[in-house]
Amino acid sequence: MASDKFVSANGLRLHYVDYGNDGAPWVVCVHGLTGNAHNFDALAPHLTPRYHVISVDVRGRGDSQW
């Protein structure tokens, strides 16, 4: 199950979606210029049986701060 999470880096609040599978190798999904973390909602369920998938909102996109 996907969960929205936030992390602070250099004073910025950045958003990411954690699709889970603790202990598995990580896959980090990064969207293009006009996208957001939820661009991978359809792909992530296919990857989570083998990988711990996270999808980030880059700075200024989605729910991440500028």
Side-chain angles (χ1 to χ4, degrees):
M1 181 165 87
S3 59
D4 290 292
K5 297 184 178 181
F6 291 87
V7 63
S8 291
N10 295 324
L12 295 171
R13 186 171 186 235
L14 302 173
H15 170 257
Y16 66 98
V17 180
D18 188 337
Y19 297 93
N21 196 356
D22 293 336
W26 284 51
V27 170
V28 178
C29 301
V30 181
H31 61 79
L33 180 63
T34 61
N36 63 56
H38 292 285
N39 286 138
F40 302 96
D41 286 347
L43 173 64
H46 298 284
L47 298 175
T48 54
R50 295 185 57 193
Y51 301 100
H52 184 144
V53 180
I54 67 165
S55 175
V56 299
D57 276 332
V58 299
R59 181 179 178 167
R61 300 287 183 224
D63 293 323
S64 289
Q65 289 182 322
W66 278 96

